[in-house]
Amino acid sequence: MNVLIDKLPQILAAFGTTLQLLGASALIATILGVVLGAFRVSPVPALRWFGTAYVTIFRNTPLVVVFIIFVVALPELGFQSSFFFRAVIALSLYAAAFVCEAVRSGVNAVQAGQAEAARSLGMTFSQTLRHVVLPQAIRTVIPPLASIYIALAKNTAVAEAFGVTEATYQLDNLVRDFPGSLWFLFFGIALGYVIIVFFISGIAGLLERRWAVSR
Amino acid sequence: MSQQTAQPAPKPDPKGKKAPKAKKAKRVRQPKVSQSSVLFDVPGPKARRRNLIGGILAGLAIAYVLWLVLRLLYEREQITWDKWTPFANLGIIRSLGEALGLTLLAAVVSIACALVFGAVFAAGRLSDHRWLRWPSIAIVEFFRAIPLVLLIIFLFIAYGNVTERFGALVIALTLYNGSVLAEIFRAGILAVPRGQGEAGYAIGLRKSGVMIRILVPQAISTMLPAIISQCVVALKDTALGLVISAPDVVSVARRIAINPQYDNILAVGLVLAAIFIAINYGLSRLAGWLEARQRRKGRAVVQVTNIPDAGMGGAATG
């Protein structure tokens, strides 16, 4: 227990890194995922195929392998950057595939009549998507998006194995010095993740209630 | 997903058969876009030309980027003979194959155990007894909320001398996937129309009887696609064995990559990705096929996306 209190600054700093990883990659993944989702419902076949290929590749590859390619192999190609930055890239590319799927399912959940009405007003595909369909789709995809962010929060732990000193890294690190406190360290760090997860699902629940689409 | 509109069988036409048939075939080909047809009409000639131009431009852009990547790889000497020949080496193929076998074994064993774990804790969560329900909720929520990596490292450090690396990986996968499956089971049982359970009570069954005879058998078929999706997640998550150097395919492949004789981390990463994509894509197709079959029969399907964490959940983790 003492270790947990003594090393609290160190553990909190590591959770700070976890949150930075989460924030940065959630932002990039969301933007990329929405663009890919738009590709997947677009009238241009080449873009649809690209979106499908992207999702198939990144959804079926383990995150660890994505990390191997983007965090370990890229520097060999001359992309020198910090571990943190490369970890964000790997996490974002991976999560974007799931965001894309969520967006697509949200778009499909919007009633066809809405888009038809928009078309009969003379809106183009991108206008329909931007002004009519996406705003409504985003409301319906809050629950799946929340689970993507929750999963992303837990996925940041993979960065541990690739040298980013985030929260899970500290279990590995501190246990070496304080082997007797393994259980305390585990539950202490686990509690941190539980708080993050409950925080995200709490916000999602709040938004869901506020923005609920009445059908 | 809108159903494929049933094509009316071409009526026998005594004369001038050819021309109308050709026209029809052309028109029917369009709505393959079924899902996206919400957003745009079936394109007319002008829109089709525009889409074609857009498609060609997009295709060129994609091809250009791919070419840039390939050129870069070539310049950095990644596409050379000695980076890829290891994969033609019989010894290496065999050790990768053995490791892949262990990876699949870890996934199968942990899914099998997770099914049992999930069934027990789903029953616990649905129990009427508070002393059974609350601990079940706490355990399921805990294992779903923490990163699998953390669990794997903890189990390995705490019990690694008993479980070995492989066992630690399998137990961690079981606890995590079991918790997700418990939620899937619960959703599946709650998805059975209420009247069915009530009918069971009406004919004098007790809760266990209603569960075992009425709800569970129906829930199983609705949950099958979700369960298979979870198998994909479990298989992907085996890759986390890397953090404790479990004898799985990723760890073995990594050992090849860091061998100075080969030094081909990118090639190894791409080969690993190809292996996982091939297996998981097959499994996903199977899940999709089962789901379509369920829908065709007019039965409900448990939506993986509605269960926080399933599908990508670990997926993501993994």
Side-chain angles (χ1 to χ4, degrees):
Chain A
M1 193 70 194
N2 283 332
V3 183
L4 219 51
I5 295 165
D6 291 346
K7 296 290 173 187
L8 196 62
Q10 203 175 331
I11 293 174
L12 284 183
F15 267 111
T17 308
T18 295
L19 290 177
Q20 282 172 21
L21 275 175
L22 171 63
S25 42
L27 186 69
I28 301 176
T30 308
I31 296 170
L32 190 59
V34 171
V35 172
L36 284 167
F39 278 9
R40 288 205 71 176
V41 295
S42 89
V44 180
L47 292 179
R48 280 205 306 275
W49 293 330
F50 178 77
T52 311
Y54 183 93
V55 169
T56 308
I57 289 172
F58 278 91
R59 243 162 59 125
N60 290 315
T61 311
L63 182 58
V64 170
V65 175
V66 178
F67 263 83
I68 289 178
I69 294 174
F70 285 93
V71 178
V72 186
L74 270 196
E76 303 213 343
L77 301 183
F79 291 105
Q80 297 299 340
S81 53
S82 66
F83 268 129
F84 180 86
F85 180 75
R86 277 177 275 148
V88 167
I89 296 296
L91 283 167
S92 318
L93 289 177
Y94 183 75
F98 294 89
V99 175
C100 167
E101 282 303 88
V103 169
R104 195 173 65 110
S105 74
V107 167
N108 287 337
V110 174
Q111 284 162 354
Q114 304 255 356
E116 280 164 9
R119 277 209 306 276
S120 60
L121 288 174
M123 287 187 175
T124 62
F125 165 75
S126 63
Q127 282 173 328
T128 310
L129 196 61
R130 277 208 325 269
H131 300 306
V132 178
V133 175
L134 267 189
Q136 299 185 71
I138 285 168
R139 294 171 162 196
T140 64
V141 296
I142 290 173
L145 267 188
S147 31
I148 290 168
Y149 295 139
I150 288 173
L152 188 57
K154 299 188 298 172
N155 282 340
T156 56
V158 174
E160 185 264 358
F162 297 89
V164 180
T165 50
E166 45 66 76
T168 299
Y169 182 90
Q170 291 298 349
L171 177 72
D172 227 358
N173 188 25
L174 290 174
V175 162
R176 221 165 287 138
D177 300 334
F178 308 96
S181 312
L182 173 64
W183 281 82
F184 283 123
L185 284 169
F186 171 64
F187 279 110
I189 293 171
L191 180 69
Y193 282 104
V194 170
I195 292 172
I196 295 176
V197 167
F198 279 179
F199 186 70
I200 297 175
S201 53
I203 289 184
L206 206 76
L207 289 179
E208 205 187 334
R209 273 196 301 282
R210 181 171 293 181
W211 291 349
V213 184
S214 49
R215 288 228 173 86
Chain B
M1 247 188 226
S2 73
Q3 257 110 333
Q4 194 89 345
T5 32
Q7 280 170 237
K11 278 172 198 153
D13 199 341
K15 52 184 176 173
K17 217 174 178 180
K18 255 182 186 165
K21 213 177 172 186
K23 232 182 200 168
K24 210 168 222 166
K26 210 171 186 183
R27 204 177 296 161
V28 177
R29 253 198 1 210
Q30 283 302 330
K32 250 205 121 180
V33 219
S34 51
Q35 292 159 344
S36 26
S37 58
V38 175
L39 293 172
F40 49 88
D41 271 317
V42 174
K46 224 165 127 187
R48 224 176 297 157
R49 200 174 322 126
R50 210 169 50 225
N51 288 347
L52 186 69
I53 293 169
I56 289 171
L57 285 179
L60 283 178
I62 295 167
Y64 180 66
V65 171
L66 277 182
W67 185 74
L68 281 183
V69 169
L70 278 179
R71 202 184 59 171
L72 181 79
L73 290 183
Y74 181 75
E75 280 171 1
R76 304 281 172 181
E77 296 181 347
Q78 289 296 326
I79 317 182
T80 56
W81 194 239
D82 50 326
K83 299 269 182 204
W84 291 88
T85 36
F87 297 107
N89 179 326
L90 261 184
I92 284 179
I93 291 177
R94 183 161 346 123
S95 65
L96 275 180
E98 279 168 9
L100 183 62
L102 278 177
T103 291
L104 292 175
L105 183 69
V108 169
V109 172
S110 51
I111 275 290
C113 298
L115 285 171
V116 177
F117 183 99
V120 169
F121 281 90
R125 271 197 94 154
L126 290 166
S127 164
D128 290 332
H129 307 291
R130 211 169 286 166
W131 57 271
L132 211 58
R133 199 168 59 230
W134 285 109
S136 305
I137 292 178
I139 288 174
V140 167
E141 293 298 331
F142 178 74
F143 286 120
R144 276 174 49 206
I146 64 170
L148 194 49
V149 186
L150 188 72
L151 191 58
I152 292 174
I153 293 175
F154 168 72
L155 284 176
F156 177 62
I157 298 174
Y159 304 109
N161 48 352
V162 188
T163 59
E164 304 270 318
R165 292 163 200 276
F166 185 77
L169 178 63
V170 168
I171 294 171
L173 283 173
T174 299
L175 292 175
Y176 172 69
N177 287 301
S179 300
V180 177
L181 282 176
E183 283 302 275
I184 293 177
F185 291 164
R186 199 170 67 105
I189 283 174
L190 293 178
V192 178
R194 265 177 60 115
Q196 304 235 359
E198 284 164 3
Y201 290 119
I203 59 169
L205 287 176
R206 275 189 237 151
K207 181 158 184 187
S208 57
V210 169
M211 222 27 136
I212 296 167
R213 288 158 184 253
I214 298 177
L215 300 183
V216 172
Q218 299 191 63
I220 285 177
S221 65
T222 63
M223 293 180 308
L224 218 48
I227 291 173
I228 292 177
S229 306
Q230 203 55 34
C231 293
V232 172
V233 175
L235 187 59
K236 277 166 62 179
D237 283 350
T238 56
L240 292 173
L242 180 73
V243 299
I244 55 168
S245 306
D248 67 317
V249 69
V250 177
S251 305
V252 172
R254 184 175 150 274
R255 235 168 289 149
I256 296 169
I258 57 178
N259 184 339
Q261 189 190 339
Y262 303 126
D263 183 32
N264 56 348
I265 187 80
L266 185 70
V268 163
L270 293 178
V271 167
L272 279 176
I275 292 173
F276 276 98
I277 290 170
I279 299 174
N280 287 334
Y281 185 66
L283 279 174
S284 304
R285 287 293 292 268
L286 179 64
W289 178 77
L290 281 172
E291 195 176 325
R293 208 179 63 148
Q294 288 291 115
R295 289 244 160 84
R296 234 180 10 251
K297 288 182 179 170
R299 291 197 196 134
V301 174
V302 174
Q303 275 298 317
V304 191
T305 45
N306 293 344
I307 299 163
D309 235 31
M312 149 142 182
T317 298

